Amino acid sequence: MKKNEFPGWAPKSVISEWEEKLKEIDYWNRKFPMLEHETDEADLLYRILTYSEMKKVWERLPKYDIKPALFSSMIRCSDSFLDMKPYNLTPKDYREWIKEVRSTALKLRELIKHSEYDRIFQERYITKRQKCMIGSAIEHSMKVLSPDVDIEEHKKVKPPYELWPDLMPTLLTDALLEIANLDSDTNIGFAGMKARNTVKLDKPNHPNAKRSFFIKSLTQMMREHTGKPLREIVTITTATVFDNPSITERQIIRTAP
């Protein structure tokens, strides 16, 4: 399918994501032609862009100030994490896993204390900050060459980097101690994402575990973003992602009350 063959209601930003995913698949196909490469993510994007029931979802999202790219990310996050710890653990196994994480963090802390490893985050931060400061200073200085800039007024303006907060990371041993004191992985969160309560499943090995995880996760994200579970949107999206039009709103409520 080409870009101009998608339905008119399909969001352009999500079509662009699909195209980028195809380019990535094509790259690996050319690099390793003998291997069979996964297309699950591209297939998922294709379904949410073409299945007719999704038209209702895309049309309703603006009412809740949810941008298409954000919703696409919600779907992909909800679909991706079940095979990763701690999402494939029962509550009992999860508690044991947390104990193991805490114990390992303490062991690693003792191992690297007073070593160069302890300062690695700080050193990398300083190096990166210095590069950004030089770039900011050069960009600020080059503005005097623009005919639209008043040189005298420009001298009064501080370079942007002087307004940056100093976010010096702690020592790695301090970070490990904090990890060792956590009761869950919730506050660790994912890089660049808002920390949120982790979805746990009582039966992670059940045949429908992935679908249950998806429903719980997407419903939770909807609640966080809008204050409402938006059952209809979750129902249609779940039916689309799992290619099962028989899924009902009652099933969604039962899975994610």
Side-chain angles (χ1 to χ4, degrees):
M1 177 168 279
K2 298 178 182 177
K3 185 174 182 179
N4 59 359
E5 294 175 342
F6 279 101
W9 45 261
K12 291 182 174 57
S13 58
V14 183
I15 293 175
S16 296
E17 290 180 26
W18 177 80
E19 290 177 322
E20 288 301 314
K21 185 55 61 177
L22 285 194
K23 289 178 183 176
E24 181 183 327
I25 293 169
D26 182 58
Y27 169 80
W28 291 113
N29 279 336
R30 285 185 281 106
K31 194 172 182 66
F32 302 104
M34 301 301 292
L35 298 180
E36 184 176 347
H37 302 284
E38 288 191 4
T39 62
D40 290 354
E41 198 167 355
D43 294 339
L44 184 151
L45 288 169
Y46 177 81
R47 291 195 297 276
I48 65 174
L49 286 166
T50 58
Y51 279 32
S52 59
E53 283 297 302
M54 283 299 296
K55 180 181 180 182
K56 297 178 185 176
V57 172
W58 296 119
E59 288 176 345
R60 287 191 61 189
L61 292 179
K63 177 181 177 182
Y64 303 101
D65 194 30
I66 300 178
K67 297 186 183 304
L70 172 61
F71 186 65
S72 171
S73 296
M74 288 182 181
I75 294 172
R76 291 153 78 181
C77 287
S78 298
D79 188 59
S80 298
F81 296 143
L82 185 59
D83 296 330
M84 299 164 53
K85 273 191 175 183
Y87 305 100
N88 58 352
L89 301 177
T90 65
K92 180 180 177 181
D93 290 337
Y94 176 76
R95 288 191 293 272
E96 292 301 315
W97 178 75
I98 284 293
K99 289 180 183 178
E100 186 179 344
V101 169
R102 295 172 66 173
S103 172
T104 304
L106 286 175
K107 289 177 184 176
L108 181 56
R109 182 175 185 269
E110 290 303 311
L111 186 64
I112 66 171
K113 190 187 294 184
H114 308 309
S115 74
E116 290 298 315
Y117 289 111
D118 200 8
R119 293 181 290 278
I120 191 167
F121 286 156
Q122 293 181 341
E123 290 172 359
R124 288 185 177 180
Y125 170 80
I126 291 171
T127 301
K128 187 172 183 178
R129 185 181 176 90
Q130 286 174 338
K131 289 181 180 178
C132 291
M133 286 172 63
I134 292 171
S136 177
I138 292 174
E139 182 181 2
H140 182 74
S141 300
M142 293 297 289
K143 287 184 178 178
V144 299
L145 302 177
S146 172
D148 301 326
V149 173
D150 184 312
I151 296 178
E152 293 304 317
E153 289 297 319
H154 183 67
K155 289 178 180 178
K156 302 175 185 178
V157 179
K158 290 185 177 181
Y161 70 82
E162 291 190 14
L163 304 175
W164 295 349
D166 190 357
L167 303 173
M168 174 67 79
T170 61
L171 293 172
L172 182 54
T173 48
D174 292 337
L176 288 167
L177 182 61
E178 187 176 346
I179 290 172
N181 290 322
L182 291 176
D183 293 323
S184 76
D185 69 315
T186 299
N187 293 327
I188 297 296
F190 299 99
M193 291 181 65
K194 184 177 76 172
R196 57 190 180 88
N197 292 327
T198 314
V199 171
K200 300 293 187 299
L201 297 175
D202 291 329
K203 298 179 180 179
N205 295 320
H206 191 277
N208 289 329
K210 188 175 180 68
R211 190 177 74 186
S212 297
F213 182 88
F214 180 89
I215 293 169
K216 288 174 179 286
S217 180
L218 186 59
T219 301
Q220 179 175 276
M221 283 193 254
M222 287 297 183
R223 276 201 175 103
E224 289 174 353
H225 197 83
T226 70
K228 302 176 183 179
L230 301 185
R231 307 287 190 191
E232 183 185 6
I233 287 177
V234 175
T235 303
I236 294 172
T237 306
T238 304
T240 302
V241 169
F242 291 90
D243 197 14
N244 185 351
S246 65
I247 293 174
T248 65
E249 195 166 314
R250 177 174 288 186
Q251 288 176 276
I252 300 298
I253 296 172
R254 204 160 48 230
T255 303

